[in-house]
Amino acid sequence: MITLTQVLEILKKDANFREISAENEYYYNWNQEVTFDTLAYDSRKVNEHTLFFAKGLNFKKDYLLDLNAAFYISEFDYEVALPAIIVTDVKRAMSLIAQAFYDYPQNKLKTLALTGTKGKTTSAYFAKFILDEMNGGKTALLSTAETTLDGKNFFKSELTTPESLDLLEMMAKAVENSMTHLVMEVSSQAYKTERVYGLTFDVGVFLNISPDHIGPVEHPTLEDYFYCKRQLLHHSRYFVANAEMNHFGIIKEELLALELPYAFYGKDTENRILESAGLHFETTGSVAGSFDIRLLGRFNQENALATALATRALGASTSQIKVGLAKATVPGRMELFTAKNGAHIYVDYAHNGISLENLVQVVESHHTGKLLLILGATGNKGENRRHDFGEVIENHKRLEVILTTDDSNHEDPKAIANTIASHVQRPLDYIADREIAIKTAISRTSSPADAVIIAGKGTDHYQLLNGKRKPYIGDAEAAQKYI
Ligand SMILES: CC(=O)N[C@H]1[C@@H](OP(=O)(O)OP(=O)(O)OC[C@H]2O[C@@H](n3ccc(=O)[nH]c3=O)[C@H](O)[C@@H]2O)O[C@H](CO)[C@@H](O)[C@@H]1O[C@H](C)C(=O)N[C@@H](C)C(=O)N[C@H](CCC(=O)O)C(=O)O
Ligand SMILES: Nc1ncnc2c1ncn2[C@@H]1O[C@H](COP(=O)(O)OP(=O)(O)OP(=O)(O)O)[C@@H](O)[C@H]1O
């Protein structure tokens, strides 16, 4: 519960309050106390005691007409019967009011936030497995792949970082469920749209940066994308950063200016990977030791080192880090299945050129036999991926490729496949049905030297076709069905 007095205090303190607008008059104070028992940003989820947030690009005045709520908060006076609290920034207001409404759950959890272009989900799972070793399974997790608020039940997330209202409600549930730690991914959009406004994390991690999420609905430029991600530096008590990432210089300068305690990793720092083999690596520095992980690839060892440093800052011992990392699996990221003939089937979420290149390189270096690739490209978005995928296939002549459907949406999957194939000199197969494509690829393997890479969908159990999500068995399930 929260009162109108508390709401106005929060907004005034944040220099976000403009006025209350009611019945054609403006007020700085309201002479009657009001108690709100729910907060909502969806007009379909209100009651007469709700404080409603009118926000969003697609918000319509119609949602407020005849709305049975107590007050609404907005940047815009819609001049409707319902009294309005007018603010300069509704999303900031939503975050701060939600924190008070849920009694500041962030202060009752030790929080670890991860950002970066690649590796957030993988590192978030690594961190959860390590912290679970330390706290006996009391780590809540908010990731692109899955969310858990009790450490046992997992559900699929809609956004990488939820809207502040949902986020604070989830944090409060985690506290109610006796969780002691929360690991979460913080996307650049979260900072751009104030989903984490007013939150400070115990540990922040910056994994890497490369051009991504640049476009009309996300970030106008790489500068904006990077700047938004760097906001995590300003909202962490301790920071871990990859010294090998692009533009690391400014991160270092910014951290020094903030006088924040930090750990850097990568060459030319004390925290380095010394020796690295398939699933084993050795490190030097504050978490020196030898570690095993279940995911191939040097970048996953870097994710593991970043996570080791971050969880160390939260009190994890080297042995807890070792055990956690050795146990960690990540849904849809380098999931490995072994066929009866010994061939390895890799299911990975890689859905752009860079990720696919990394993935293929890793698998190629571990398999001397046949290398099959199941791949499609999304329709009506990321069109340049078709060219990038073509380049990867062209660069790796050993790949035997079966092109297939991957969220073709309003486009023809065959036409998408033809565009990928147009960038490749050799012929590629095409099987529209993704499950049959997977079955076919597995049937073409014969020994442990062979591998099938199923790229793109990761944990998705749907195909986006003609604007609708149609049920799909899932890559991992299809792999297990036919091995
Ligand atoms: C830019 C942005 O933050 N967009 C998110 C935001 O949209 P918005 O605030 O503009 O709201 P909107 O969808 O235009 O809808 C308007 C409002 O009308 C309300 N409504 C609607 C219908 C009705 O009858 N009554 C009503 O009140 C809705 O509840 C909503 O509050 O709030 C919506 C939920 O309230 C999100 O679904 C939406 O995510 C969009 C769709 C999205 O996909 N965002 C992506 C770009 C994103 O955030 N991605 C990052 C990941 C990036 C990464 O991988 O690194 C993420 O964190 O997920
Ligand atoms: N540190 C890394 N550097 C480069 N590539 C990586 C790294 N970690 C993971 N990848 C690759 O990127 C893919 C996505 O990994 P993951 O889901 O962990 O990242 P993410 O940051 O959550 O991604 P997204 O923002 O696309 O959801 C993996 O399937 C893997 O191929």
Side-chain angles (χ1 to χ4, degrees):
M1 272 195 318
I2 191 164
T3 62
L4 181 60
T5 307
Q6 288 173 296
V7 167
L8 296 183
E9 254 175 41
I10 290 167
L11 296 174
K12 287 174 184 174
K13 202 168 150 208
D14 197 40
N16 195 6
F17 177 72
R18 291 193 179 195
E19 65 272 322
I20 290 179
S21 171
E23 293 173 354
N24 297 321
E25 199 44 87
Y26 301 122
Y27 304 91
Y28 192 71
N29 298 306
W30 193 248
N31 56 12
Q32 215 184 329
E33 187 60 293
V34 181
T35 302
F36 305 105
D37 65 8
T38 51
L39 306 178
Y41 59 77
D42 186 331
S43 61
R44 294 159 291 194
K45 296 178 183 163
V46 301
N47 66 45
E48 69 267 37
H49 303 297
T50 300
L51 174 58
F52 179 70
F53 295 87
K55 61 95 184 151
L57 296 172
N58 304 309
F59 190 80
K60 294 189 180 66
K61 179 176 179 173
D62 286 0
Y63 303 152
L64 291 170
L65 301 175
D66 308 321
L67 189 70
N68 184 28
F71 260 87
Y72 76 96
I73 296 197
S74 174
E75 289 164 16
F76 189 75
D77 186 355
Y78 287 96
E79 300 179 343
V80 292
L82 197 63
I85 301 168
I86 306 298
V87 293
T88 302
D89 191 317
V90 65
K91 292 199 175 177
R92 288 186 173 195
M94 190 156 83
S95 184
L96 293 188
I97 292 167
Q99 288 169 36
F101 183 87
Y102 289 107
D103 194 21
Y104 304 95
Q106 71 270 29
N107 298 339
K108 301 167 194 162
L109 294 161
K110 286 284 171 204
T111 51
L112 193 169
L114 298 136
T115 202
T117 304
K118 287 289 153 207
K120 297 182 293 296
T121 303
T122 306
S123 305
Y125 273 80
F126 284 169
K128 174 167 166 50
F129 274 85
I130 295 170
L131 293 173
D132 276 349
E133 288 303 310
M134 184 173 99
N135 62 26
K138 294 196 165 135
T139 315
L141 170 74
L142 268 74
S143 85
T144 315
E146 290 174 322
T147 297
T148 179
L149 305 176
D150 61 4
K152 293 189 286 279
N153 298 297
F154 291 79
F155 55 93
K156 177 88 186 101
S157 336
E158 266 183 40
L159 292 169
T160 298
T161 312
E163 281 287 357
S164 58
L165 245 188
D166 304 319
L167 172 61
L168 269 301
E169 188 185 3
M170 289 179 189
M171 283 184 171
K173 281 210 178 113
V175 172
E176 206 180 293
N177 293 335
S178 308
M179 296 292 104
T180 55
H181 290 76
L182 169 74
V183 176
M184 65 179 282
E185 297 181 40
V186 180
S187 64
S188 53
Q189 281 299 310
Y191 276 112
K192 184 129 186 109
T193 62
E194 312 286 9
R195 292 181 207 157
V196 288
Y197 182 70
L199 290 180
T200 302
F201 301 98
D202 290 297
V203 179
V205 180
F206 204 137
L207 295 163
N208 47 54
I209 184 89
S210 57
D212 204 359
H213 299 291
I214 297 164
V217 286
E218 296 186 88
H219 299 279
T221 58
L222 171 66
E223 179 279 326
D224 187 62
Y225 173 57
F226 187 37
Y227 171 76
C228 287
K229 281 200 176 296
R230 290 206 318 276
Q231 295 318 297
L232 183 59
L233 272 68
H234 296 256
H235 300 97
S236 297
R237 300 188 179 95
Y238 181 87
F239 211 79
V240 176
N242 177 359
E244 287 180 34
M245 83 171 109
N246 296 333
H247 312 293
F248 172 67
I250 186 168
I251 295 205
K252 189 172 177 183
E253 280 180 40
E254 214 160 346
L255 277 174
L256 292 175
L258 290 165
E259 297 183 6
L260 214 62
Y262 61 81
F264 295 147
Y265 64 97
K267 65 174 181 325
D268 303 331
T269 74
E270 63 160 325
N271 302 302
R272 295 188 309 276
I273 296 171
L274 290 178
E275 300 272 340
S276 158
L279 295 168
H280 178 86
F281 65 100
E282 286 174 23
T283 58
T284 175
S286 57
V287 195
S290 59
F291 301 90
D292 293 305
I293 52 174
R294 294 176 174 220
L295 281 76
L296 283 174
R298 169 85 181 191
F299 52 83
N300 281 321
Q301 298 176 356
E302 288 170 14
N303 293 337
L305 177 55
T307 316
L309 293 165
T311 52
R312 164 58 51 85
L314 291 172
S317 67
T318 303
S319 69
Q320 286 160 344
I321 292 170
K322 270 188 197 189
V323 175
L325 286 177
K327 284 185 182 171
T329 52
V330 190
R333 274 75 177 169
M334 272 297 180
E335 279 193 272
L336 175 60
F337 304 97
T338 306
K340 285 183 205 81
N341 59 26
H344 282 178
I345 321 296
Y346 297 89
V347 172
D348 193 273
Y349 183 59
H351 53 266
N352 64 18
I354 296 170
S355 304
L356 185 69
E357 176 64 37
N358 285 339
L359 174 64
V360 171
Q361 275 185 23
V362 168
V363 178
E364 203 174 37
S365 67
H366 286 84
H367 291 272
T368 50
K370 276 190 172 190
L371 214 57
L372 290 122
L373 172 67
I374 299 292
L375 180 76
T378 48
N380 308 107
K381 78 167 188 188
E383 283 81 354
N384 63 329
R385 289 177 190 163
R386 298 168 204 182
H387 163 267
D388 299 347
F389 289 161
E391 270 195 352
V392 176
I393 296 168
E394 191 59 11
N395 287 343
H396 297 270
K397 302 275 191 272
R398 272 178 61 206
L399 282 175
E400 212 177 285
V401 184
I402 304 180
L403 294 172
T404 185
T405 307
D406 183 345
D407 292 345
S408 50
N409 204 359
H410 297 286
E411 291 192 58
D412 173 10
K414 177 83 169 87
I416 297 175
N418 286 344
T419 312
I420 299 176
S422 71
H423 299 287
V424 184
Q425 300 294 326
R426 62 190 190 279
L428 309 177
D429 288 342
Y430 173 73
I431 300 176
D433 185 314
R434 195 171 171 98
E435 182 179 341
I436 305 292
I438 292 170
K439 182 182 177 191
T440 307
I442 296 173
S443 72
R444 290 186 191 167
T445 63
S446 56
S447 81
D450 299 342
V452 177
I453 303 169
I454 309 172
K457 289 199 76 63
T459 50
D460 289 353
H461 282 92
Y462 62 83
Q463 283 279 10
L464 184 65
L465 301 173
N466 297 314
K468 293 213 173 73
R469 287 183 172 189
K470 298 273 164 53
Y472 162 63
I473 181 175
D475 287 350
E477 289 73 7
Q480 287 170 92
K481 192 167 161 187
Y482 298 110
I483 50 180

